[in-house]
Amino acid sequence: MDNTDITKSTKNLKPWWQRFTAGLNEFYHAPYRQTMARAARDEEDFFMLLMFAESLGIDNPASFYTLELQPLFLENFHEWHTRMGMDRCPFDHVGCC
């Protein structure tokens, strides 16, 4: 048996093993991908509500801390308020609609 035969077989084994683990990972995670995406979206919706609660007229004890984050999340605000059922932007000073 030649030394080149051993290295050739180990080179072929590594991509096969990576493909197998990727397929196994997909097999276990695929059924839960939609559920996890929905949970992440719900978390983001709640966070957006906390950030813009004071502007919407809802008392928010953490408004001092979330006020700094509003400019960062303002680009996602239009998508959020339409998903929450508000057809038009509830703020006069924000021109998203």
Side-chain angles (χ1 to χ4, degrees):
M1 192 173 211
D2 208 4
N3 200 11
T4 58
D5 292 337
I6 294 171
T7 58
K8 205 184 274 188
S9 66
T10 57
K11 284 182 183 178
N12 289 338
L13 183 64
K14 188 173 181 181
W16 175 85
W17 182 252
Q18 288 174 346
R19 288 192 316 263
F20 177 73
T21 56
L24 196 60
N25 192 16
E26 184 69 20
F27 175 76
Y28 282 113
H29 290 106
Y32 306 107
R33 188 171 290 127
Q34 185 178 9
T35 305
M36 296 304 285
R38 188 178 302 123
R41 189 182 67 226
D42 289 346
E43 256 182 51
E44 183 180 337
D45 288 344
F46 182 66
F47 184 70
M48 291 284 282
L49 177 65
L50 280 178
M51 276 198 319
F52 292 102
E54 193 74 28
S55 301
L56 291 169
I58 303 168
D59 289 334
N60 183 7
S63 65
F64 177 75
Y65 302 106
T66 59
L67 189 60
E68 295 177 359
L69 299 173
Q70 283 184 1
L72 300 174
F73 286 87
L74 201 56
E75 62 188 34
N76 299 336
F77 183 73
H78 175 73
E79 156 184 326
W80 175 74
H81 80 75
T82 53
R83 194 169 51 238
M84 293 296 112
M86 297 178 234
D87 294 333
R88 300 200 36 83
C89 182
F91 307 137
D92 295 332
H93 63 279
V94 178
C96 73
C97 295

